[in-house]
């Protein structure tokens, strides 16, 4: 009976190919098995971020799901940008999704707006900003809270909410994250671009 030459190139190639196929199959199986859980976690994270912009934090998964269902009454989407109609303690609030570019990658967030056109709350996120610097747009709740109460539009409908190096108009401006001017500029550009587009569509 013929025996395989385990030292031959043919044997090594065939063995490696079979091993790769088996591993790929197992990885695909695990991915498919875990995908519903991953999708649920992503959806929950989005809901938590929206709640953060409404100044509702420190909720576990079940609490966040329940609170989201309570306060978010409707949502619409325009070219990948979402708007959420919310009601909190009898107050109507619009939450606008934001997407832009930071120093090292994408940045995003949610801005909650009251009926007077002022910021009710804000939350920002990032893909790969520098820890302790640009990452502070996500990690610093104190910086996010600086947006609360700021006016978003002027009398002519122009977006005046800004992130600047030196605050000259405290009614509309928020100072940059210390040491992260480029990331802060990205937040400023994101706010102006997204809010202007939604205003044109008549949402604000």
């Amino acid at each position: 009976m013929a025996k395989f030459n385990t030292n031959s190139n043919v044997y090594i190639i065939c063995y490696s190919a079979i091993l790769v196929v088996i591993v790929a199959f197992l990885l695909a199986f695990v991915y498919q098995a875990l995908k519903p859980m991953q999708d649920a976690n992503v959806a929950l994270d989005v809901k938590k971020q929206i709640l953060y912009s409404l100044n509702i934090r420190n909720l576990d998964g079940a609490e966040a799901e329940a609170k989201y269902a309570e306060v978010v009454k409707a949502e619409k989407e325009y070219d990948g940008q979402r708007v959420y109609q919310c009601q909190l303690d009898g107050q109507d609030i619009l939450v606008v999704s934001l997407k832009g570019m930071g120093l090292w990658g994408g940045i995003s967030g949610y801005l909650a707006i009251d009926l007077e056109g002022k910021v009710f709350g804000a939350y920002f996120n990032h893909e790969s900003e520098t820890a302790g610097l640009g990452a502070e747009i996500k990690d610093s709740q104190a910086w996010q809270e600086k947006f609360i109460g700021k006016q978003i539009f002027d009398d002519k409908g122009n977006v005046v909410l800004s992130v600047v190096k030196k605050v000259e108009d405290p009614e509309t401006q928020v100072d940059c994250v210390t040491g992260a001017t480029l990331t802060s500029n990205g937040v400023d550009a994101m706010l102006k671009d997204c809010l202007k587009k939604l205003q044109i569509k008549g949402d604000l």
Side-chain angles (χ1 to χ4, degrees), residues 58-86:
N58 302 319
L59 300 180
D60 63 25
E63 291 171 336
E65 290 280 8
K67 194 65 177 179
Y68 181 89
E70 175 190 335
V71 302
V72 178
K73 304 303 181 181
E75 66 178 87
K76 295 183 285 186
E77 181 175 348
Y78 303 101
D79 301 325
Q81 190 171 9
R82 290 184 177 270
V83 178
Y84 302 83
Q85 295 174 344
C86 306

Side-chain angles (χ1 to χ4, degrees), residues 48-124:
K48 284 185 174 181
Q49 290 186 40
I50 293 169
L51 292 175
Y52 294 161
S53 75
L54 293 166
N55 306 311
I56 303 171
R57 300 176 183 250
N58 302 319
L59 300 180
D60 63 25
E63 291 171 336
E65 290 280 8
K67 194 65 177 179
Y68 181 89
E70 175 190 335
V71 302
V72 178
K73 304 303 181 181
E75 66 178 87
K76 295 183 285 186
E77 181 175 348
Y78 303 101
D79 301 325
Q81 190 171 9
R82 290 184 177 270
V83 178
Y84 302 83
Q85 295 174 344
C86 306
Q87 193 171 69
L88 183 62
D89 299 328
Q91 183 176 0
D92 291 324
I93 302 168
L94 198 69
V95 174
V96 178
S97 68
L98 309 167
K99 287 186 181 297
M101 285 297 298
L103 176 60
W104 302 113
I107 56 176
S108 60
Y110 294 92
L111 192 75
I113 305 169
D114 65 21
L115 292 180
E116 296 180 355
K118 294 184 177 181
V119 177
F120 182 84
Y123 178 77
F124 301 104

Side-chain angles (χ1 to χ4, degrees), residues 134-152:
E136 289 297 288
I137 67 170
K138 173 186 177 183
D139 299 334
S140 175
Q141 181 179 340
W143 187 73
Q144 295 169 8
E145 289 176 346
K146 291 182 178 182
F147 286 83
I148 296 175
K150 302 298 183 184
Q151 193 70 38
I152 298 173

Side-chain angles (χ1 to χ4, degrees), residues 177-190:
V177 174
T178 303
T181 301
L182 294 180
T183 302
S184 299
N185 289 344
V187 173
D188 180 69
M190 175 176 68

